[in-house]
């Protein structure tokens, strides 16, 4: 058989990036006829955001779906090659110290489930947006977030074979007291309308705050020898640049579409900056206390990624009438205190957390003092030194009284008054004849604006006292009933191993023994 | 003037990208951290495809940046030949 070859037409001119993007993201939708558009997109208007021209939406990266798959596949191949190599070569023994693993336990129980919720959230929001450009961008982010959840679980499952506290992260995420902090943050966002979700997660979390989580902490993972976490973290963060850009585009789009959108958007920025900032309390403590080899202090990270970068962002948005979020100044002032107050809390409640804590060593305290010359020696060193003495005397301090929680951020009341680090900050609001407690002016303002939402909060301490946090075999009528122990069992913590102090823990023992075996036969 | 930045994972490709950036943006400051490299620049920063191709000795699609990127700040303007970060309020 012969092929008659047509003379090849002059090679088609390759389309430019802008034309390719326009072709792949415009004209893909239609005006519905069987049902009115408001019924097809029922969530598009009730928040009060007015959009006149969805075609004004621009993805500055101009990434199209075909290019997306190509580059994501490449990222996955690189990532899994590193993870496999790390596992095949006993990479865990290259860690600086087994204390490092506790930051991963916190990450797996607290952050990875949020990646999955982000996947769900962006799928939902993408469906709810009447414009195609926004829908395509949300779809990509939804897929990214699923990838983040999966790669984190895969990477950290290698540690579960060898170390304590990694086994029941999903179960714990829905139950454990401090995990209600990240969980309720995302539940709050995903139960908001689609535009609020875009400001909550796309803008406030991704653009303003996520660098603080992924950049210094993941660089710290690399510094501490964890190639697995480094690989998943930077791989996730490479998607993050796109997510940040989506968040920035979303806010500019809303502000440019109608002047009536400004006060709504500003209120959401105020709320979600503060909500996200409170969640980052855990990250502050990871950077300053949980990384054996520290890469930068929370204060330094805050200065670079919040003050400098966020400052530039809000200066830029000022032309739309946007001002920095209400809690901004307090967050900047609190950078001197946040991590110390958080770590002190976890140290006291060691028995109720499935990761190990410790008193910082004299060398670590010297580092804290150098990084925090205005606060550490004055306010926090005496406390840690006292606890070190107590440990040495065999009377480690364990707090057996459950803390009061903030009705909004759900963090125990551990933060101090603005300007006075010696007094705990409490705020009270009345709603429908009941009193509700919040940790700060920021959380109180959020509560007061939407009390109907926050009175429904599932607060772990309240739930424990109401008897909702025991397993089916617990018997509160038996004479030796120990309520706290029953709660820990209901959390599925292995009592005495997962929740033991680091000093003398099985992780510490095994790591040292395995390290010693590395060089002997 | 507000700073824009771009950060990459440390690897052989990003080493060339960073060289291209510093050649084309004389005010850019390179800041090396564990496993990553961050480039800061006052106001604006541009990655030129031609310079990166010159350094790499092969053709380069600017969207390949996605594979090595960690984070960035500023508004993005991307074409086939240039990738620019900038803040409007300087
Ligand atoms: Fe993510
Ligand atoms: Fe709070």
């Amino acid at each position: 058989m012969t092929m008659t070859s047509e003379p090849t037409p002059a090679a088609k001119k390759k389309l430019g990036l802008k034309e390719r993007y326009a072709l792949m993201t415009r004209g893909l939708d239609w005006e519905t006829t069987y049902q009115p558009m408001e019924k097809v997109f029922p969530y598009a208007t009730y928040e009060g955001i007015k959009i006149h021209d969805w075609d004004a939406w621009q993805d500055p990266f101009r990434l199209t779906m075909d290019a997306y798959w190509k580059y994501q596949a490449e990222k996955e191949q690189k990532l899994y090659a590193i993870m496999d190599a790390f596992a095949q070569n006993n990479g865990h023994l290259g860690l600086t110290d087994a204390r490092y693993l506790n930051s991963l336990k916190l990450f797996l129980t607290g952050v990875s489930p949020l990646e999955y919720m982000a996947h769900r959230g962006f799928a939902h929001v993408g469906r709810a947006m009447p414009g195609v450009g926004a829908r395509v961008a949300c779809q990509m982010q939804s897929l990214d977030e699923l990838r983040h959840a999966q790669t984190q679980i895969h990477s950290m499952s290698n540690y579960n074979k060898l170390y304590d506290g990694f086994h029941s992260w999903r179960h714990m995420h829905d139950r454990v007291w401090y995990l209600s902090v990240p969980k309720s943050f995302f539940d709050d966002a995903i139960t908001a309308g689609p535009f609020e979700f875009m400001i909550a997660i796309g803008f406030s979390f991704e653009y303003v705050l996520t660098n603080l989580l992924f950049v210094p902490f993941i660089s710290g993972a690399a510094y501490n020898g964890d190639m697995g976490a480094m690989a998943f973290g930077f791989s996730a963060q490479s998607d993050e640049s796109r997510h940040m850009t989506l968040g920035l585009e979303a806010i500019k789009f809303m502000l440019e579409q109608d002047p009536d959108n400004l006060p709504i958007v500003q209120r959401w920025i105020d709320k979600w900056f503060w909500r996200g900032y409170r969640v980052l309390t855990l990250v502050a403590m990871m950077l300053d206390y949980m990384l054996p080899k520290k890469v930068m202090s929370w204060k330094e990270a805050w200065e670079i990624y919040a003050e400098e970068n966020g400052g530039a962002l809000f200066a830029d948005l000022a032309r739309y009438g946007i001002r920095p979020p209400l809690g901004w100044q307090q967050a900047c002032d609190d950078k001197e205190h946040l991590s110390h107050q958080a770590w002190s809390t976890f140290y006291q409640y060691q028995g109720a957390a499935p990761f190990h804590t410790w008193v910082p060593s004299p060398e670590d305290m010297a580092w804290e003092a150098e990084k925090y010359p205005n606060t550490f020696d004055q306010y926090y060193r005496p406390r840690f030194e006292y606890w070190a003495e107590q440990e040495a005397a065999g009377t480690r301090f364990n707090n057996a009284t459950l803390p009061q929680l903030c009705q909004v951020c759900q963090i125990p009341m551990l933060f101090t008054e603005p300007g006075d680090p010696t007094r705990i900050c409490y705020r009270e609001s009345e709603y429908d004849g009941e009193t509700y407690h919040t940790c700060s002016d920021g959380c109180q303002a959020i509560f007061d604006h939407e009390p109907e939402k926050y009175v429904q909060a599932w607060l772990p301490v309240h739930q424990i006292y109401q008897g909702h946090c025991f397993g089916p075999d617990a018997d509160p009528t038996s004479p030796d009933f120990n309520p706290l122990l029953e709660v820990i069992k209901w959390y599925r913590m292995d009592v005495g191993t997962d929740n033991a102090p680091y000093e003398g823990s099985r992780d510490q023992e095994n790591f040292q023994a395995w390290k010693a075996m590395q060089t002997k036969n | 003037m507000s700073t824009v930045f771009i950060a990459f994972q440390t690897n052989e490709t990003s080493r060339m990208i960073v060289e291209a950036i510093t050649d084309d943006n004389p005010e850019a400051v390179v800041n090396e951290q564990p496993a990553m490299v961050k480039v800061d620049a006052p106001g604006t920063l541009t990655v030129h495809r031609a310079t990166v191709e010159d350094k790499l000795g092969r053709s380069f699609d600017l969207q390949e940046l996605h594979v090595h990127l960690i984070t960035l700040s500023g508004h993005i303007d991307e074409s086939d030949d240039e990738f620019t970060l900038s803040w409007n309020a300087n």
Side-chain angles (χ1 to χ4, degrees):
Chain A
M1 191 167 64
T2 53
M3 304 269 285
T4 45
S5 63
E6 299 273 324
T8 25
K12 259 200 223 134
K13 189 179 147 280
K14 197 173 166 260
L15 292 177
L17 186 60
K18 290 178 192 186
E19 295 155 291
R20 291 201 305 277
Y21 174 73
L23 272 174
M24 302 282 279
T25 59
R26 292 298 184 272
L28 300 175
D29 56 348
W30 58 90
E31 291 281 322
T32 56
T33 51
Y34 299 163
Q35 292 287 338
M37 287 291 272
E38 313 87 78
K39 276 196 164 179
V40 179
F41 297 102
Y43 306 125
T45 51
Y46 82 96
E47 298 171 276
I49 294 290
K50 295 175 186 158
I51 304 296
H52 306 288
D53 176 19
W54 276 101
D55 272 344
W57 180 285
Q58 276 289 334
D59 173 3
F61 273 125
R62 302 198 175 86
L63 196 64
T64 54
M65 219 58 213
D66 55 334
Y68 173 79
W69 290 123
K70 177 176 164 218
Y71 292 119
Q72 294 304 96
E74 208 175 308
K75 288 183 195 173
E76 286 282 276
Q77 279 167 2
K78 285 177 61 158
L79 165 60
Y80 277 90
I82 296 171
M83 271 160 47
D84 285 351
F86 187 69
Q88 285 158 8
N89 292 290
N90 276 326
H92 67 103
L93 295 179
L95 293 179
T96 46
D97 188 271
R99 280 177 302 162
Y100 164 78
L101 293 165
N102 297 292
S103 61
L104 284 190
K105 297 174 194 177
L106 192 51
F107 200 102
L108 180 63
T109 51
V111 178
S112 302
L114 298 193
E115 301 277 17
Y116 186 71
M117 288 305 281
H119 155 66
R120 294 181 61 191
F122 279 98
H124 168 68
V125 165
R127 168 63 185 82
M129 294 279 183
V132 181
R135 277 218 293 281
V136 170
C138 287
Q139 181 186 15
M140 285 177 192
Q141 180 157 357
S142 176
L143 292 165
D144 292 338
E145 302 295 3
L146 184 59
R147 180 175 94 87
H148 298 174
Q150 287 173 337
T151 53
Q152 288 167 22
I153 294 160
H154 284 160
S155 171
M156 287 184 271
S157 69
N158 283 317
Y159 289 114
N160 183 41
K161 299 169 190 162
L162 302 160
Y163 297 97
D164 292 320
F166 284 98
H167 49 85
S168 298
W169 53 277
R170 194 63 197 76
H171 176 92
M172 289 175 180
H173 184 71
D174 290 334
R175 291 166 180 78
V176 176
W177 55 285
Y178 59 89
L179 296 176
S180 79
V181 174
K183 180 186 166 69
S184 66
F185 166 80
F186 232 99
D187 286 356
D188 191 355
I190 210 167
T191 50
F195 290 104
E196 183 175 349
F197 182 87
M198 287 305 292
I199 296 295
I201 305 303
F203 178 74
S204 297
F205 199 69
E206 299 280 1
Y207 207 102
V208 185
L209 298 171
T210 192
N211 275 326
L212 283 155
L213 169 61
F214 274 102
V215 185
F217 176 67
I218 295 299
S219 186
Y223 207 31
N224 283 276
D226 185 357
M227 293 204 336
M230 178 205 74
F232 80 62
F234 282 156
S235 193
Q237 193 63 28
S238 69
D239 300 341
E240 223 61 51
S241 316
R242 197 153 24 75
H243 302 172
M244 292 164 62
T245 306
L246 173 62
L248 187 56
E249 180 53 30
I251 191 172
K252 286 195 298 189
F253 178 69
M254 286 183 220
L255 294 169
E256 283 168 8
Q257 284 289 309
D258 199 293
D260 290 353
N261 294 341
L262 174 63
I264 305 175
V265 168
Q266 180 71 59
R267 179 176 281 286
W268 286 337
I269 292 175
D270 291 345
K271 168 180 173 181
W272 287 99
F273 166 73
W274 192 256
R275 291 288 274 123
Y277 166 68
R278 274 297 188 236
V279 173
L280 291 188
T281 301
L282 296 172
V283 181
M285 164 179 113
M286 284 155 85
L287 286 182
D288 285 349
Y289 285 88
M290 300 181 79
L291 293 180
K293 239 177 129 51
K294 299 175 206 315
V295 66
M296 68 168 63
S297 67
W298 167 257
K299 183 180 159 190
E300 289 165 322
W302 182 263
E303 285 165 355
I304 295 170
Y305 292 109
E307 289 178 18
E308 189 179 309
N309 188 36
L313 170 69
F314 286 108
D316 189 88
L317 293 176
R319 72 201 144 104
Y320 296 109
I322 288 288
R323 51 153 177 76
L326 276 183
W328 184 262
Q329 192 51 50
Q330 193 186 332
C332 293
D333 295 343
D334 286 355
K335 69 188 174 192
E336 299 269 6
H337 300 279
L338 192 65
S339 64
H340 316 300
Q341 297 182 353
W343 186 244
S344 301
T345 305
F346 278 94
Y347 178 85
Q348 295 173 51
Y349 289 104
Q350 169 68 78
F355 63 85
H356 306 306
T357 64
W358 53 90
V359 175
S361 67
E363 300 80 59
D364 284 347
M365 283 201 255
W367 183 88
E368 304 288 350
E370 187 200 316
K371 295 292 180 185
Y372 294 94
N374 306 322
T375 53
F376 185 76
D377 283 344
Q378 194 177 347
Y379 301 110
Y380 303 105
R381 179 190 285 278
R383 190 185 304 180
F384 287 122
E385 286 181 344
Y386 174 74
W387 283 341
E389 281 166 30
Q390 296 288 301
E391 274 193 25
T395 53
R396 186 193 193 279
F397 177 61
N398 290 301
N399 195 334
T401 307
L402 303 185
Q404 184 177 35
L405 304 181
C406 172
Q407 189 75 26
V408 172
C409 69
Q410 309 207 2
I411 298 179
M413 300 284 194
L414 62 94
F415 303 107
T416 49
E417 282 289 349
D420 183 0
T422 63
R423 260 191 321 135
I424 299 283
C425 180
Y426 297 97
R427 297 289 180 270
E428 275 184 26
S429 298
E430 292 269 322
Y431 178 71
D432 207 12
E434 302 259 2
T435 305
Y436 294 89
H437 303 269
T438 43
C439 72
S440 53
D441 296 331
C443 282
Q444 186 179 33
I446 294 168
F447 178 87
D448 288 346
H449 186 64
E450 292 170 277
E452 328 68 27
K453 186 168 198 181
Y454 295 98
V455 295
Q456 301 175 60
W458 194 94
L459 294 175
V461 169
H462 292 211
Q463 296 296 322
I464 290 169
Y465 280 132
Q466 288 170 33
H468 297 152
C469 304
F470 305 128
D473 53 343
D475 177 10
T477 61
S478 91
D480 56 349
F481 180 69
N482 177 342
L484 288 188
L485 182 65
E486 291 302 329
V487 172
I488 303 303
K489 285 203 232 157
W490 181 72
Y491 287 166
R492 290 195 195 153
M493 284 181 207
D494 287 335
V495 179
T497 42
D498 290 344
N499 63 343
Y502 182 70
E503 234 14 83
S505 66
R506 189 159 67 179
D507 278 6
Q508 182 191 34
E509 239 170 67
N510 282 340
F511 183 75
Q512 283 167 2
W514 293 333
K515 284 284 274 189
M517 280 162 64
Q518 242 182 338
T519 51
K520 294 197 192 81
N521 288 306
Chain B
M1 185 181 281
S2 295
T3 303
V4 295
F5 67 75
I6 189 163
F8 301 98
Q9 301 182 45
T10 321
N11 61 39
E12 280 306 295
T13 309
S14 68
R15 191 161 65 87
M16 295 296 117
I17 298 171
V18 170
E19 270 190 25
I21 293 175
T22 48
D23 279 10
D24 291 334
N25 302 267
E27 291 186 294
V29 177
V30 177
N31 181 347
E32 315 232 12
Q33 287 166 31
M36 60 177 272
V37 51
K38 179 168 177 270
V39 188
D40 298 291
T44 177
L45 177 154
T46 300
V47 188
H48 293 273
R49 180 175 57 83
T51 319
V52 179
E53 290 188 337
D54 218 39
K55 299 278 176 193
L56 284 171
R58 65 166 170 88
S59 63
F60 183 79
D61 184 328
L62 282 174
Q63 294 202 325
E64 277 183 53
L65 286 174
H66 283 288
V67 177
H68 313 285
L69 255 185
I70 291 174
T71 182
L72 48 75
S73 81
H75 301 286
I76 295 164
D77 189 27
E78 186 176 4
S79 71
D80 288 299
D81 299 318
E82 289 178 8
F83 177 93
T84 299
L85 294 171
S86 64
W87 289 121
N88 290 313
N90 282 331

